[in-house]
Amino acid sequence: MTQNVPRVLHDMQPTIADNTAVPAGVVWRLAEPGRQLDANVLNLPAGTVIEAHAEPDLDVLMVVVAGSATMDTEGGARPLLPGAVVWLPRGSTRGFTTGTDGLTYLTVHGRRPGMQIRGAGGVRRI
């Protein structure tokens, strides 16, 4: 199959129907060769706390698929419910506490470059 053909990569309906029946962790990851984006669907159990942190390099778009959470930001706490589209600008601080039904969310951001070695000849991707 040609890489440049639009196609369905993952069906989130089972996760939307009952995210509590889905194992915790990465549900799906974009792995297409030559892509310019990284994307993941993650499922977290109820009561999971992700401590406040900042992403220094990339803007991240987050879409709540199922469950709920509270997002703590410098501007205060924000509830996150299914359908919420959240922009997490690079450098911003955020933390999350999942609700009683856990949280399933999609993240999308620019692809991180591969590890690089710098030498006299310049930069080489490995």
Side-chain angles (χ1 to χ4, degrees):
M1 181 185 302
T2 304
Q3 289 180 355
N4 294 342
V5 176
R7 59 196 177 277
V8 175
L9 298 176
H10 180 70
D11 180 7
M12 288 199 291
Q13 287 301 318
T15 304
I16 291 168
D18 184 6
N19 70 309
T20 62
V22 176
V26 177
V27 174
W28 171 82
R29 174 175 284 131
L30 183 63
E32 304 307 295
R35 69 189 184 278
Q36 294 179 347
L37 292 175
D38 277 331
N40 303 286
V41 175
L42 294 109
N43 189 49
L44 303 176
T48 299
V49 175
I50 299 174
E51 297 293 332
H53 65 285
E55 164 53 61
D57 300 321
L58 299 169
D59 292 341
V60 177
L61 186 71
M62 174 181 176
V63 180
V64 177
V65 174
S68 64
T70 299
M71 177 177 65
D72 294 313
T73 71
E74 294 161 335
R78 310 276 179 180
L80 299 180
L81 299 172
V85 178
V86 182
W87 176 48
L88 304 168
R90 72 176 180 260
S92 65
T93 300
R94 64 279 196 155
F96 301 90
T97 302
T98 64
T100 58
D101 44 0
L103 177 70
T104 304
Y105 62 98
L106 165 73
T107 62
V108 180
H109 55 77
R111 189 170 183 199
R112 292 182 187 278
M115 186 182 223
Q116 298 181 357
I117 299 174
R118 296 183 187 272
V123 175
R124 186 182 72 176
R125 291 192 193 282
I126 55 173

